[in-house]
Amino acid sequence: MDMDDEVFKALADPVRRRLLDRLNDHNGQRLTELCDGLDMARQSVSKHLAVLEAARLVTAVRRGREKLHYLNAEPVNAIADRWMSRYDRDRARALADLKSALEDTPMTTQDSPDFVYTTYIRTTPERLWEALTDPVFTRRYWGVGFDTDWKPGSPMTWNGEGPANAHPDQVVLESEPGRRLAYTWHTFTPGWAEAVGVDEPTRAALAAEPRSRVAFDLEPHDGRVKLTVTHTAFAPDSTLRPMISEGWPAIVADLKTLLETGDLA
């Protein structure tokens, strides 16, 4: 079945739409939380979640023994961009409203402010790893290059957005080639702010927050690679959180295009 068909099938069921609404209101929920208030067995809810996961509308992330479910906007955004103009006005408006809700509503809660985004790329884990770590690749879709040996604990210098950005707390956290990469986020320097057009009050607010971190999980999946980006450790009422929620989908989309087509045009 085509992935678009999977998404439309998943959205056709009112129970699954209700589960998506609940994740949109409170992202990162356990199965027991999602079952609360639903007049159905836990097994039935699990089956609905499996359909949503198959359609990529929900991403499941394990935190120790817990399995947390996150709303993933990528497939709805892709369908809206590709198909909306081909539908009648009412259906197009409904899909546009859902797309806007997924894009504009901060997917964050007091207990789980993580940003989680999943996409599937027609490539290999080795090639995707190279695209995440090799400055020749990262500069093409991100405009940033990393100076590091990609060993856990090693320092990272960010190059490309203003002067070289180095700090002792910019380090590689995890590095399993072809499987998982994690590192701390960059320092919000005046040079970076000037290069990307961020005003000083916003930069100061960003700099006052604790340093966040990002992780990339790579999993082979039917000839493609499932890439899950998880950005965590935000401050309450974070200034950074809404900024990266707009930035990551664009970066990942360009990464996917580059790997699948060889061009960003």
Side-chain angles (χ1 to χ4, degrees):
M1 182 181 293
D2 184 84
M3 285 308 304
D4 287 358
D5 294 336
E6 294 274 8
V7 175
F8 282 117
K9 173 187 173 182
L11 293 174
D13 187 279
V15 173
R16 292 194 282 271
R17 293 198 300 271
R18 185 177 177 186
L19 288 170
L20 291 176
D21 286 339
R22 295 182 71 170
L23 287 174
N24 198 39
D25 292 337
H26 182 151
N27 214 17
Q29 294 190 55
R30 298 182 295 273
L31 175 60
T32 53
E33 295 174 295
L34 289 168
C35 290
D36 188 32
L38 292 178
D39 188 19
M40 63 175 60
R42 179 188 177 100
Q43 184 178 9
S44 297
V45 177
S46 293
K47 290 181 178 179
H48 282 297
L49 286 171
V51 173
L52 291 170
E53 286 188 55
R56 303 176 300 167
L57 291 163
V58 167
T59 295
V61 177
R62 290 202 174 273
R63 294 284 187 271
R65 295 183 178 180
E66 293 185 330
K67 184 178 181 181
L68 303 179
H69 299 85
Y70 292 87
L71 184 64
N72 182 43
E74 189 270 343
V76 172
N77 290 342
I79 285 180
D81 291 340
R82 179 181 180 189
W83 295 108
M84 257 196 330
S85 61
R86 302 187 184 187
Y87 288 90
D88 63 76
R89 182 173 302 174
D90 289 340
R91 293 184 68 188
R93 183 181 299 114
L95 192 53
D97 288 345
L98 177 57
K99 180 176 184 284
S100 296
L102 293 177
E103 289 177 335
D104 297 340
T105 302
M107 295 182 191
T108 179
T109 68
Q110 184 176 359
D111 296 326
S112 180
D114 299 351
F115 172 86
V116 179
Y117 193 82
T118 298
T119 192
Y120 291 74
I121 304 175
R122 294 192 181 280
T123 188
T124 64
E126 294 77 17
R127 188 65 169 167
L128 180 50
W129 179 267
E130 184 181 10
L132 291 171
T133 58
D134 188 336
V136 173
F137 267 101
T138 59
R139 287 184 183 279
R140 290 189 66 187
Y141 66 85
W142 193 346
V144 172
F146 302 103
D147 183 7
T148 181
D149 61 11
W150 295 114
K151 295 179 181 178
S154 290
M156 296 177 64
T157 298
W158 293 52
N159 300 293
E161 295 177 333
N165 192 336
H167 189 281
D169 293 336
Q170 289 175 191
V171 296
V172 179
L173 298 173
E174 299 177 63
S175 183
E176 299 178 52
R179 296 183 58 190
R180 180 173 171 83
L181 177 67
Y183 49 81
T184 57
W185 203 235
H186 66 78
T187 305
F188 300 106
T189 64
W192 165 83
E194 183 179 357
V196 300
V198 170
D199 60 61
E200 177 55 25
T202 301
R203 187 206 69 81
L206 291 168
E209 295 184 6
R211 191 177 299 271
S212 63
R213 55 186 180 267
V214 63
F216 305 86
D217 288 291
L218 291 64
E219 303 174 51
H221 184 88
D222 294 337
R224 295 175 293 175
V225 180
K226 176 184 177 183
L227 172 65
T228 300
V229 180
T230 306
H231 203 133
T232 62
F234 299 103
D237 300 320
S238 172
T239 298
L240 177 62
R241 177 61 174 75
M243 294 173 69
I244 63 93
S245 69
E246 293 182 4
W248 274 124
I251 292 170
V252 172
D254 283 348
L255 167 62
K256 176 181 171 70
T257 299
L258 180 60
L259 284 172
E260 292 187 343
T261 71
D263 195 0
L264 292 178

